[in-house]
Amino acid sequence: MAGFAPNNTPFPPLVAAHDGSNFTYTSLHDRVPHILTDVINDFYAAVQRTDSVDAVAEGKQLTGLLSKLKHEMVTDKPLTPLDDDGTGDIAEWNHWLAEYFSGGTWYSTPFLAWETYMYRRIATIFRKSQFWNTYDYFATKKEDTFRASMVAVAKLCARVDALTQETVADLGNSTKQHLAFVEMLQASLWGNQTDLSMFPDLSNEKLEEMQARISSGENNSKLAANDTDRIWKIVSQVHGGRVDIVLDNSGFELLQDVLLAHWLVAAGIAAKVVFHPKRIPWYVSDVTNTDFHWLVDAIQSPASVGATGLSTADERVLQGLGARWNELLNAGVWELHDELFWTGPYGYRYLPTKGADVWAGLTNSDMVIFKGDLNYRKLVYDLQWPVSTPFVDAIGPIADDPTAPAIVALRTSKCDTIAGVEPQRANELFAQRKDWMYSGEYGVIQLSPG
């Protein structure tokens, strides 16, 4: 679209409503300050556990900076330039802020702008420190939630292990392969419901219920758009290719993504899978390199992370899968690329220009799967699109680029921006519940064919 800029968009961005009537306002007024309070409380507890006098003293200073950030947010102060923490992206962040949102306050700046700015500023506070520069202020919540769900994890892994063995034993059966792919793709989609920034209290029971709905096909009624068959037509023609997965949440969702990659390799569709985690802690539960390796090691050795309630058969399946995944990582069949672009200020329509190196790598892929709500928001730039706007139009240049790979979006909707939904389907969903776009209960499987 001609003339598109972060502060000059064809449709309005999401901004907090002055009357408090929209989800953006609720997030800024209630949900996100609560997340920041949790960061402060978690860090305070970590500071109390250390024996280093100097680390304690610095911890108090960092707590003050976090409290200052929260105060600026709730009192609607202007967004200020970020301090350089040596990561390599601050100059771009500050140029973006000065060029497009100079003087903008929390309540006047678009949702996607202030929210990503907040998480980047939290990271800056820690990365500039001496004693806490590698501290992941979300790690405890991520790891505890996964550890507590190990019984559900074992059941899922056993199911996928059996499904994979059935696929490998009958690779010539395209119908069976198609059905397995549909189940794996939907599992990866609905795993996105396990977002700790939206649903912090996940239990084994809830995860098992979710998995049962996936296996039964019950969740099909919750799809606002479904391009699965078109995606399968592309995937079924790929043999020994490359698939990229731009990751979202750690824990149970990451497990679903890893299991999808496991199946794609075992089925001979992918000879390489490139995962794209975040380089810094991000949006509470987003995957970092450390999170990825922690999960693989936890699967291979559940006892090492304090998992309980597993049978001998459960442990045998988990250990076998974990060992296989470490083999794939060591052999380079699976790779992790944590490019800074994913935690930068620009939406994904700017990949060919602001993320040219990343884009060059993605164009070597047969299919790039973007996981989750934030990645979707960055794909469509968090605008108030008419819901029937074609998905390929909303993502713009990365759909039109002649070198573009097939792009798949798997998203459970937790924010009121969406595209590619047929008008009749949208009317049905609005009749069911007015908050369907940000309830986290409805999803999309969408394709830009490349």
Side-chain angles (χ1 to χ4, degrees):
M1 295 179 180
F4 192 106
N7 61 347
N8 180 29
T9 53
F11 294 96
L14 298 178
V15 177
H18 292 295
D19 62 0
S21 61
N22 64 1
F23 179 70
T24 305
Y25 178 91
T26 301
S27 293
L28 181 52
H29 189 264
D30 299 316
R31 185 176 62 85
V32 177
H34 182 76
I35 290 171
L36 192 47
T37 300
D38 285 346
V39 170
I40 294 170
N41 292 340
D42 176 85
F43 181 55
Y44 176 81
V47 171
Q48 300 310 303
R49 291 192 296 268
T50 185
D51 295 327
S52 167
V53 174
D54 291 338
V56 169
E58 186 180 56
K60 291 178 179 178
Q61 295 173 359
L62 301 187
T63 301
L65 293 173
L66 292 168
S67 298
K68 179 176 183 288
L69 170 59
K70 181 181 175 183
H71 176 75
E72 290 176 14
M73 179 191 302
V74 300
T75 57
D76 196 25
K77 296 293 189 293
L79 276 61
T80 57
L82 298 170
D83 292 334
D84 193 347
D85 60 9
T87 303
D89 60 343
I90 296 300
E92 182 170 63
W93 264 99
N94 285 338
H95 177 269
W96 167 86
L97 190 61
E99 180 75 12
Y100 302 113
F101 301 109
S102 178
T105 68
W106 291 84
Y107 279 79
S108 67
T109 302
F111 191 176
L112 190 62
W114 66 253
E115 193 176 29
T116 51
Y117 167 87
M118 184 200 75
Y119 284 104
R120 188 62 188 88
R121 186 162 156 191
I122 295 172
T124 299
I125 290 170
F126 283 95
R127 291 176 82 86
K128 280 176 59 64
S129 69
Q130 179 181 353
F131 298 99
W132 302 96
N133 62 329
T134 61
Y135 178 71
D136 183 347
Y137 29 91
F138 298 132
T140 299
K141 181 173 287 191
K142 290 185 282 190
E143 293 175 5
D144 286 353
T145 302
F146 189 76
R147 188 182 293 111
S149 65
M150 284 299 284
V151 173
V153 165
K155 289 185 178 181
L156 171 63
C157 286
R159 165 63 184 160
V160 174
D161 187 48
L163 189 66
T164 303
Q165 291 183 39
E166 292 173 12
T167 300
V168 172
D170 197 5
L171 286 175
N173 190 327
S174 59
T175 300
K176 184 180 290 187
Q177 198 173 49
H178 181 198
L179 292 173
F181 173 75
V182 170
E183 180 172 337
M184 297 303 304
L185 194 71
Q186 288 225 5
S188 181
L189 161 67
W190 295 112
N192 183 237
Q193 287 184 317
T194 61
D195 181 340
L196 296 179
S197 71
M198 290 285 289
F199 308 109
D201 302 312
L202 294 165
S203 64
N204 268 311
E205 292 74 18
K206 289 180 181 177
L207 294 174
E208 289 177 19
E209 289 171 7
M210 180 183 75
Q211 194 59 36
R213 290 194 299 271
I214 294 167
S215 298
S216 68
E218 179 184 340
N219 271 2
N220 287 339
S221 65
K222 296 296 182 71
L223 286 170
N226 185 4
D227 289 335
T228 299
D229 288 342
R230 293 173 62 214
I231 295 167
W232 172 246
K233 285 182 180 178
I234 294 173
V235 170
S236 63
Q237 300 303 311
V238 177
H239 306 286
R242 168 174 162 170
V243 174
D244 285 59
I245 304 177
V246 182
L247 297 169
D248 189 32
N249 296 304
S250 58
F252 203 75
E253 179 177 359
L254 173 59
L255 177 66
Q256 302 275 25
D257 301 337
V258 169
L259 287 168
L260 173 60
H262 172 85
W263 184 87
L264 289 169
V265 171
I269 293 166
K272 181 176 288 294
V273 178
V274 181
F275 298 94
H276 299 269
K278 307 301 191 299
R279 193 174 300 184
I280 58 177
W282 197 246
Y283 275 69
V284 184
S285 49
D286 276 34
V287 183
T288 64
N289 266 317
T290 299
D291 295 330
F292 191 101
H293 289 290
W294 185 91
L295 179 139
V296 171
D297 291 343
I299 295 296
Q300 185 167 1
S301 180
S304 70
V305 298
T308 58
L310 300 176
S311 67
T312 302
D314 288 338
E315 292 187 356
R316 188 182 305 116
V317 170
L318 293 176
Q319 289 165 359
L321 288 173
R324 174 60 177 152
W325 298 345
N326 270 315
E327 288 175 2
L328 293 171
L329 286 165
N330 292 333
V333 175
W334 286 2
E335 295 181 3
L336 303 182
H337 294 185
D338 61 347
E339 301 97 340
L340 279 173
F341 182 82
W342 308 118
T343 51
Y346 287 98
Y348 296 164
R349 66 170 39 244
Y350 288 99
L351 267 164
T353 52
K354 299 297 183 180
D357 290 346
V358 180
W359 182 243
L362 296 179
T363 60
N364 292 321
S365 187
D366 293 286
M367 179 168 288
V368 181
I369 300 172
F370 286 88
K371 287 300 310 293
D373 193 66
L374 176 61
N375 282 323
Y376 189 92
R377 291 169 61 195
K378 283 199 159 190
L379 280 169
V380 304
Y381 226 81
D382 222 29
L383 303 183
Q384 297 178 48
W385 298 100
V387 296
S388 60
T389 304
F391 177 65
V392 292
D393 290 351
I395 68 175
I398 60 172
D400 302 336
D401 192 305
T403 65
I407 290 172
V408 172
L410 303 180
R411 179 233 194 170
T412 56
S413 187
K414 306 173 191 121
C415 183
D416 41 359
T417 181
I418 201 164
V421 179
E422 294 293 334
Q424 181 178 346
R425 180 60 176 148
N427 290 336
E428 292 171 356
L429 294 173
F430 278 118
Q432 290 174 21
R433 56 184 300 173
K434 295 187 183 301
D435 67 348
W436 70 270
M437 279 200 284
Y438 53 90
S439 66
E441 296 199 7
Y442 294 83
V444 296
I445 300 174
Q446 293 176 311
L447 171 70
S448 170

